[in-house]
Amino acid sequence: MKSEISIKINDKFKAEYAKGYPLITKEALENPDMLNTEGSILKLVDKQGRFLSKGYYGRQNKGYGWVLTNNESETIDQTFFEQKLTTAISRRQAFFNNPETTAFRVLNGEGDGFGGLIIDYYDGFYLLSWYSEGVYTFKDRVIAALQNVIECKGIYQKKRFDTKGQYIEEDDFVAGERGEFPMVVKENGVNFAVYLNDGAMTGIFLDQRDVRNTIKQKYAKGKTVLNTFSYTGAFSVAAALGGATKTTSVDLAKRSSSKTIEQFSVNGIDFESQDILVMDVFNYFKYAKRKELKFDLVVLDPPSFARSKKYTFSTSKDYTNLMKEAIAITEKNGVIVASTNSASFGMKKFKGFIDKAFKEIGGKYSIVEEFTLPSDFRVQKEFKEGNYLKVLFVKLG
Ligand code: SAH
């Protein structure tokens, strides 16, 4: 067990921590320089030495670490982790019991009281993502705890930290048996090929589950669909299975093409009847305008920040323009699925970007669906910025 370091929180922030704010920020610390050992257990106290909460030191771009408990007598040991995991698992019983969905989030960082760690479930396998060197020092205890509280076929991990904040490529296998990849998981009955051992991403973003299902159930039938920033084409697959007449997937990454073919194929869809383009989305917009192409449904799900040869895109600066490009190639009465995972602004501001696009073009619209994170991506009410996902279905006309 590690010894605890008492660290003083300044007066401005102490009320927040007493109420349960989970992120330990530099600004809140009286003396941040005294922190130097990643993984140290921190006892947050006010200037008078009164206990506020307990957490650990782990540097991320977000802050200096996370609160783990508001109970002074609790020790951060394997039993503590077992309790966190048991609670998180019990909250997802409906997911564990649903044979139609075999991939979901089991522990969502601070939303489940354990900032810096994320655990996803993929059909019997568990994938742990560690977000700081500090949280990674708990690895052995967390893995032992997980194996104690639930049956795991195998455990994989992603280390999402290093000195430059870049992902480190290495063998991701940790314990149990190795999986065979691609592994095919289900989401509302739809198949997805995933890889737990191949780089930073697995092939599917689980947080868009409800959005994919809504496209499939309510918006795809008989429609032409353009999926921009399509990655492995997950939205295209949902649309095709929902009865879209044709899907067009556009992504700049070379491997997106074979990945998209794979996702169509594991669902028995003939990929040759779909368009899969490796291309800069901004060039595609120009091409579509020149050819006078229009789509009934356009999905816009850009990364928060992207740089290609010709264009730099930052969600918070450029979403309005992106939206204008999309409106120009959407049919009258068509729908744009506008999505962003940027944590740097909230839903209100996002709606503002969309409104501005229509104002500048002079068009009318209505918002027909609105999504934030799904229920397995649990969010803590004291930390609203944890709810980064914003998706609006915008109907033209
Ligand atoms: N919508 C996807 C996830 C998108 S991830 C899904 O639901 O699965 C972001 C993707 O944008 C990456 O695959 C990246 O290759 C792609 N990308 C980034 N900049 C791009 C650009 N200028 N043109 C096309 N694709 C781009």
Side-chain angles (χ1 to χ4, degrees):
M1 204 190 77
K2 298 175 189 176
S3 59
E4 295 177 1
I5 302 172
S6 274
I7 184 133
K8 285 203 171 75
I9 296 291
N10 50 43
D11 286 344
K12 194 172 156 208
F13 291 93
K14 73 174 189 185
E16 296 295 318
Y17 289 98
K19 272 191 269 170
Y21 188 73
L23 181 64
I24 302 172
T25 60
K26 185 178 181 197
E27 302 73 51
L29 303 175
E30 278 281 290
N31 191 358
D33 300 334
M34 70 181 277
L35 293 175
N36 46 37
T37 311
E38 288 273 332
S40 308
I41 299 298
L42 308 178
K43 196 164 128 180
L44 309 187
V45 296
D46 67 12
K47 278 193 192 156
Q48 289 72 42
R50 279 184 297 242
F51 176 80
L52 296 165
S53 54
K54 206 184 269 192
Y56 70 91
Y57 173 54
R59 289 279 281 272
Q60 280 179 237
N61 54 357
K62 288 182 183 172
Y64 271 42
W66 294 96
V67 169
L68 295 173
T69 176
N70 292 311
N71 180 349
E72 189 169 9
S73 61
E74 230 165 0
T75 313
I76 313 302
D77 54 12
Q78 188 179 319
T79 310
F80 176 84
F81 295 134
E82 284 179 11
Q83 283 162 1
K84 288 270 183 214
L85 292 167
T86 304
T87 306
I89 288 165
S90 69
R91 285 171 177 151
R92 276 88 175 170
Q93 269 320 308
F95 284 94
F96 280 102
N97 294 335
N98 177 1
E100 294 301 303
T101 295
T102 59
F104 52 88
R105 182 146 295 184
V106 172
L107 181 117
N108 193 36
E110 75 286 349
D112 284 290
F114 197 164
L117 174 65
I118 278 173
I119 305 180
D120 291 320
Y121 175 88
Y122 289 93
D123 196 20
F125 288 81
Y126 288 79
L127 175 64
L128 282 62
S129 300
W130 309 97
Y131 283 85
S132 67
E133 244 181 280
V135 73
Y136 193 65
T137 63
F138 304 132
K139 176 184 166 183
D140 292 346
R141 275 166 288 170
V142 169
I143 285 169
L146 183 62
Q147 287 174 317
N148 262 354
V149 300
I150 199 154
E151 193 189 321
C152 310
K153 270 193 210 151
I155 300 177
Y156 281 77
Q157 70 176 6
K158 308 273 178 210
K159 284 201 228 167
R160 294 183 175 274
F161 59 89
D162 80 358
T163 43
K164 290 186 228 80
Q166 291 289 309
Y167 175 75
I168 315 162
E169 294 280 339
E170 57 178 57
D171 187 12
D172 290 333
F173 175 71
V174 178
E177 62 183 70
R178 282 178 189 266
E180 277 178 37
F181 303 110
M183 162 195 272
V184 178
V185 296
K186 272 192 188 307
E187 179 191 275
N188 295 306
V190 179
N191 292 330
F192 286 105
V194 298
Y195 296 78
L196 305 187
N197 61 342
D198 183 26
M201 298 187 288
T202 63
I204 183 169
F205 289 105
L206 300 175
D207 54 0
Q208 298 276 15
R209 178 190 313 114
D210 296 345
V211 179
R212 282 187 285 269
N213 200 35
T214 301
I215 289 177
K216 175 170 160 257
Q217 302 287 357
K218 288 172 67 180
Y219 290 89
K221 201 170 170 62
K223 307 291 188 201
T224 54
V225 178
L226 172 66
N227 181 9
T228 62
F229 307 95
S230 56
Y231 179 45
T232 63
F235 285 122
S236 311
V237 168
L241 290 173
T245 46
K246 188 172 154 192
T247 67
T248 302
S249 306
V250 184
D251 196 292
L252 192 60
K254 284 210 177 63
R255 49 191 251 147
S256 68
S257 168
S258 57
K259 293 275 181 191
T260 303
I261 290 173
E262 181 175 48
Q263 299 298 19
F264 278 127
S265 302
V266 296
N267 285 287
I269 302 164
D270 174 15
F271 64 85
E272 289 187 358
S273 58
Q274 313 292 330
D275 276 348
I276 302 169
L277 306 171
V278 175
M279 188 171 183
D280 193 307
V281 162
F282 296 96
N283 288 334
Y284 185 79
F285 286 135
K286 282 189 198 145
Y287 165 84
K289 269 191 249 173
R290 208 167 55 235
K291 296 272 175 188
E292 295 180 11
L293 298 179
K294 289 211 169 185
F295 298 85
D296 300 313
L297 186 72
V298 176
V299 180
L300 277 188
D301 181 30
S304 296
F305 187 81
R307 180 174 287 142
S308 62
K309 272 189 206 129
K310 268 172 61 195
Y311 308 96
T312 301
F313 175 85
S314 137
T315 311
S316 48
K317 283 207 219 86
D318 303 319
Y319 212 99
T320 295
N321 279 335
L322 183 65
M323 195 65 196
K324 281 158 76 175
E325 299 276 18
I327 295 167
I329 59 164
T330 303
E331 290 283 6
K332 210 174 145 215
N333 299 322
V335 172
I336 299 173
V337 177
S339 171
T340 177
N341 59 8
S342 172
S344 64
F345 54 86
M347 185 62 98
K348 201 170 162 201
K349 196 160 169 196
F350 187 46
K351 285 183 177 167
F353 295 154
I354 286 162
D355 191 64
K356 190 160 176 247
F358 282 96
K359 283 224 169 81
E360 289 180 9
I361 283 180
K364 284 214 171 85
Y365 71 99
S366 56
I367 291 171
V368 289
E369 309 274 351
E370 183 170 332
F371 293 87
T372 56
L373 285 175
S375 61
D376 49 328
F377 284 63
R378 202 181 147 84
V379 180
Q380 198 185 331
K381 65 177 186 311
E382 295 81 8
F383 195 69
K384 295 238 160 42
E385 49 279 46
N387 200 344
Y388 57 85
L389 186 71
K390 295 164 276 292
V391 185
L392 298 168
F393 284 45
V394 183
K395 191 169 174 19
L396 274 62

